[in-house]
Amino acid sequence: MTVPLLDLVAQYQTIKDDVLAAMMAVIERQGFIMGPEVARLEAEIASLSHAKHGIACSSGTDALLLPLKALDLKPGDEVITTPFTFFATAGTVHNAGGTPVFVDIDPATFNISPRAVEAAITPRTRAIIVVHLFGQMAVMEEILPIAARHGLALIEDGAQSIGARRKVEGTWRASGELGTVGTLSFFPTKNLGAWGDAGLMVTQDDALAARLSRLRLHGGSRQYMHEEVGTNSRLDTLQAAVLLAKLPHLNAWNEARKQNAARYTSAFAGHADICPPRVDPANDHIFHQYTIQVPRRDELQTFLKTKGIGHAVYYPLALHLQPCFAHLGYREGALPVAEAAMHSVLSLPIYPEMKRDQQDAVIEAVKSFYR
Ligand SMILES: Cc1ncc(COP(=O)(O)O)c(C=O)c1O
């Protein structure tokens, strides 16, 4: 049996009538730019994120870039972040005129280490970007006071964590709720995926919300009046319609992912070679990825390929070692936890529509490799 890493066609079959009807409403109206669906999506996602404002934009990358632009970084200004993430987290720092400063991660969750963040703060530091990697949140209650003490902005890259929560002092806090700004990506493979590129920012701050709305519309709050130079980063109304039609299913999809994760974890429990993902007990993890750590990872990949079992390595080269950041001067060995992770991680199929016998085939294939 072959099992794909993700099966978007299976999801499409379950929702296509609703999504196509929502798209047709936009098409019949011929209202493609900043239609009412965009504002509705902003309100719905803000509410899901326990945030006052939602500002839609054209991608998860722009959702990071615009708040970084709002910091008005000067050359040499530093933004501390994790090297174990998708490229956009740090690429946007560079594109906003700042310098990414990479610090090591926690070996259990792969999320940024609060102690490493604090140790990296200099007089040039302006912001911290945490990434809630694979769907589980970073240790917000430790990073927030660090940011506050040093007067730094705290950006939550929530591209992989829509619907994730963390219990802080007895209260569930949503991804994007506590930081200066929280970002989301609706890239088609995300837990809530558009049918193209799409992103969104959430914040509690009225002035920042107004500025971000301006920056995505060429820096103008009124047509043909530009208080500053922004860009075109509008969210396509058709994508907003797709996302609104899919949103009522998000909770059930996240729950199905959690159930699949629990099934894998009990199947791998006690295995000498397979280390299942470790969930911080304070987290409600939405399993955008189910990522194991294994010895002989590359050989396992080759084996799974021959068996037709989907898998992926997120991420094979940590960002501090990327050729484009060579000028920053990081050497191999500089961030050992992230570097160990990049050699041992493997993500397995976890999508909500995966059938039981498909999951059994994945479990059997992985276990048989280590027999
Ligand atoms: C952690 C992280 N940050 C940022 C992004 C960028 O989002 P997008 O692809 O929508 O630009 C992604 C996803 O691709 C991501 O996984």
Side-chain angles (χ1 to χ4, degrees):
M1 176 184 301
T2 63
V3 186
L5 181 62
L6 178 66
D7 188 351
L8 285 178
V9 174
Q11 186 189 76
Y12 169 69
Q13 299 301 344
T14 68
I15 53 162
K16 76 173 171 192
D17 292 346
D18 289 349
V19 180
L20 291 176
M23 289 183 91
M24 280 314 293
V26 177
I27 291 167
E28 293 285 342
R29 209 174 61 228
Q30 292 288 293
F32 299 111
I33 302 296
M34 297 304 273
E37 288 83 357
V38 174
R40 268 181 53 214
L41 181 74
E42 290 174 332
E44 297 264 357
I45 301 291
S47 151
L48 183 154
S49 309
H50 306 169
K52 193 167 172 197
H53 303 279
I55 306 103
C57 61
S58 60
S59 69
T61 300
D62 272 11
L64 289 162
L65 182 63
L66 297 177
L68 285 163
K69 290 253 188 213
L71 289 172
D72 300 310
L73 299 175
K74 308 270 177 305
D77 281 356
E78 296 169 357
V79 177
I80 297 172
T81 193
T82 164
F84 200 61
T85 176
F86 179 66
F87 182 74
T89 312
T92 48
V93 172
H94 174 91
N95 285 336
T99 302
V101 172
F102 297 108
V103 302
D104 219 340
I105 56 172
D106 173 69
T109 63
F110 310 118
N111 278 328
I112 199 163
S113 151
R115 235 174 323 122
V117 168
E118 182 132 50
I121 291 172
T122 75
R124 303 305 307 265
T125 308
R126 298 289 314 283
I128 302 164
I129 308 179
V130 300
V131 178
H132 302 316
L133 199 73
F134 301 151
Q136 93 166 306
M137 286 177 65
V139 194
M140 291 300 289
E141 67 278 16
E142 290 184 29
I143 297 170
L144 274 163
I146 297 172
R149 251 195 327 275
H150 296 272
L152 307 175
L154 176 53
I155 299 176
E156 294 179 60
D157 182 343
Q160 304 183 5
S161 61
I162 187 164
R165 303 180 301 166
R166 182 172 177 84
K167 212 166 223 179
V168 179
E169 288 168 8
T171 305
W172 284 111
R173 301 297 197 165
S175 171
E177 176 180 354
L178 296 172
T180 313
V181 62
T183 73
L184 290 166
S185 163
F186 303 114
F187 187 80
T189 59
K190 295 291 195 269
N191 288 27
L192 180 65
W195 287 1
D197 277 309
L200 197 137
M201 302 159 280
V202 294
T203 182
Q204 315 289 4
D205 182 324
D206 298 345
L208 180 60
R211 181 127 190 245
L212 294 172
S213 314
R214 250 194 348 249
L215 282 170
R216 70 162 174 193
L217 283 173
H218 289 299
S221 45
R222 282 180 299 143
Q223 211 174 12
Y224 306 123
M225 284 295 297
H226 302 272
E227 289 89 346
E228 62 182 320
V229 178
T231 187
N232 174 7
S233 184
R234 294 180 294 248
L235 174 68
D236 190 322
T237 305
L238 279 171
Q239 297 305 338
V242 170
L243 290 164
L244 280 171
K246 289 179 73 172
L247 186 57
H249 301 278
L250 176 64
N251 206 24
W253 288 333
N254 280 352
E255 287 305 317
R257 285 172 179 271
K258 289 178 207 175
Q259 279 174 21
N260 291 344
R263 228 172 143 250
Y264 272 137
T265 295
S266 74
F268 296 141
H271 195 286
D273 291 308
I274 306 164
C275 176
R278 283 168 283 175
V279 181
D280 180 331
N283 273 335
D284 182 6
H285 188 330
I286 51 108
F287 287 97
H288 175 56
Q289 299 296 344
Y290 184 88
T291 303
I292 58 173
Q293 283 183 283
V294 286
R296 299 194 287 133
R297 193 270 317 276
D298 295 354
E299 283 173 63
L300 173 61
Q301 276 196 281
T302 309
F303 177 77
L304 292 178
K305 212 170 189 175
T306 63
K307 295 266 175 199
I309 303 291
H311 57 271
V313 172
Y314 306 114
Y315 295 92
L317 185 62
L319 299 187
H320 65 293
L321 301 176
Q322 294 287 342
C324 67
F325 292 135
H327 62 282
L328 299 177
Y330 293 92
R331 298 261 175 277
E332 220 169 310
L335 303 174
V337 182
E339 291 168 35
M342 77 193 197
H343 292 299
S344 64
V345 289
L346 191 70
S347 297
L348 300 176
I350 186 76
Y351 59 94
E353 300 78 13
M354 182 167 55
K355 303 265 188 304
R356 213 155 242 254
D357 57 347
Q358 290 179 303
Q359 190 174 20
D360 289 339
V362 179
I363 294 166
E364 174 52 28
V366 175
K367 281 185 162 176
S368 71
F369 176 75
Y370 292 102
R371 242 173 232 138

